[in-house]
Amino acid sequence: MTTADVRISGRRLQERRKRIWQRDPNCARCGRLTIHPHGYELDHRVPLHQGGEDTDENCQVLCNGTEGCHLAKTREDAKA
């Protein structure tokens, strides 16, 4: 089974992105206010490839871009 097999997509994913952002629109790492829909990435606290679940509880908002927290966390997760 691959991460693509357990990851939601399409409309369900877009609904989750908005729901998580509405709960707290600030980056979970740096606290920067993000803008919906393109100012953030929905991130799995525990990555799927490390056994994390694809649930709302395991998701957080991280700011995006070349200096964003999402890219930094993705790099850290890849090293683990």
Side-chain angles (χ1 to χ4, degrees):
M1 181 178 291
T2 67
T3 57
D5 294 328
V6 296
R7 182 186 308 259
I8 66 169
S9 61
R11 184 181 190 104
R12 287 181 56 214
L13 174 58
Q14 295 313 310
E15 290 169 352
R16 176 183 284 169
R17 286 185 88 246
K18 188 170 186 179
R19 185 172 57 247
I20 301 295
W21 179 83
Q22 286 175 323
R23 185 175 66 198
D24 184 359
N26 297 297
C27 176
R29 290 187 108 185
C30 73
R32 182 181 355 179
L33 180 64
T34 64
I35 298 171
H36 182 76
H38 302 294
Y40 69 98
E41 295 290 338
L42 192 60
D43 177 73
H44 291 95
R45 290 180 172 102
V46 178
L48 299 179
H49 74 274
Q50 292 178 0
E53 295 184 358
D54 194 21
T55 62
D56 284 16
E57 294 76 22
N58 190 38
C59 290
Q60 63 186 352
V61 167
L62 293 180
C63 59
N64 62 6
T66 58
E67 300 298 319
C69 292
H70 185 256
L71 183 59
K73 182 177 178 291
T74 299
R75 288 179 181 151
E76 292 167 12
D77 290 345
K79 292 177 184 177

